[in-house]
Amino acid sequence: MRAETGTLTGARLNGSNLPHSFLRESHTHYRGRLNDRNFSLYGAVHDLEARFIEQALDAAGGSVTKAARRLGISHQSLTLMLDTRHKKLQKKRTPAKKRKRSIIQKQDK
């Protein structure tokens, strides 16, 4: 991990390998919001989840599969999150590649 830029170079994201600035920002960010009239735990978790996903996608160069590995989830789960809860982060991902069909032709019977 390179702490000066706040990027990860291959490790999974967790509290012990996050840049101090990230932890400091998120800690003060959510502490201040707890007293807000419109605060919701769901919203705070959603914001934090989005920050983790965004950082993982940036570190993985937009690859959903590599970002999912860093987060410790399947690429299908991350794709579902991007398609439903975090649509704004879809622009961070590389376009999905369609699987190639087999070059072996089925013979007619």
Side-chain angles (χ1 to χ4, degrees):
M1 176 171 65
R2 295 181 303 175
E4 69 277 359
T5 60
T7 60
L8 295 174
T9 57
R12 282 189 174 178
L13 292 174
N14 62 44
S16 65
N17 64 6
L18 286 174
H20 294 292
S21 61
F22 184 89
L23 293 173
R24 203 175 324 108
E25 290 168 11
S26 62
H27 178 67
T28 56
H29 179 68
Y30 295 116
R31 181 188 293 183
R33 287 182 53 194
L34 184 59
N35 295 328
D36 288 350
R37 186 175 193 159
N38 295 326
F39 174 81
S40 74
L41 182 60
Y42 177 80
V45 170
H46 183 268
D47 292 346
L48 188 59
E49 181 181 67
R51 291 181 74 181
F52 274 115
I53 291 171
E54 183 175 16
Q55 188 172 9
L57 284 169
D58 287 343
S63 169
V64 171
T65 301
K66 291 176 183 175
R69 279 190 204 126
R70 289 175 186 266
L71 294 166
I73 60 176
S74 69
H75 73 275
Q76 294 95 338
S77 294
L78 182 54
T79 300
L80 182 65
M81 288 179 191
L82 291 170
D83 290 343
T84 57
R85 297 194 301 256
H86 302 290
K87 292 180 181 181
K88 292 180 180 178
L89 294 176
Q90 285 181 339
K91 64 181 179 256
K92 294 265 184 183
R93 69 170 291 183
T94 55
K97 295 179 182 175
K98 193 168 187 170
R99 290 183 181 216
K100 294 182 180 180
R101 292 183 177 233
S102 174
I103 59 172
I104 301 172
Q105 299 289 326
K106 291 183 180 180
Q107 294 184 359
D108 294 330
K109 292 183 179 183

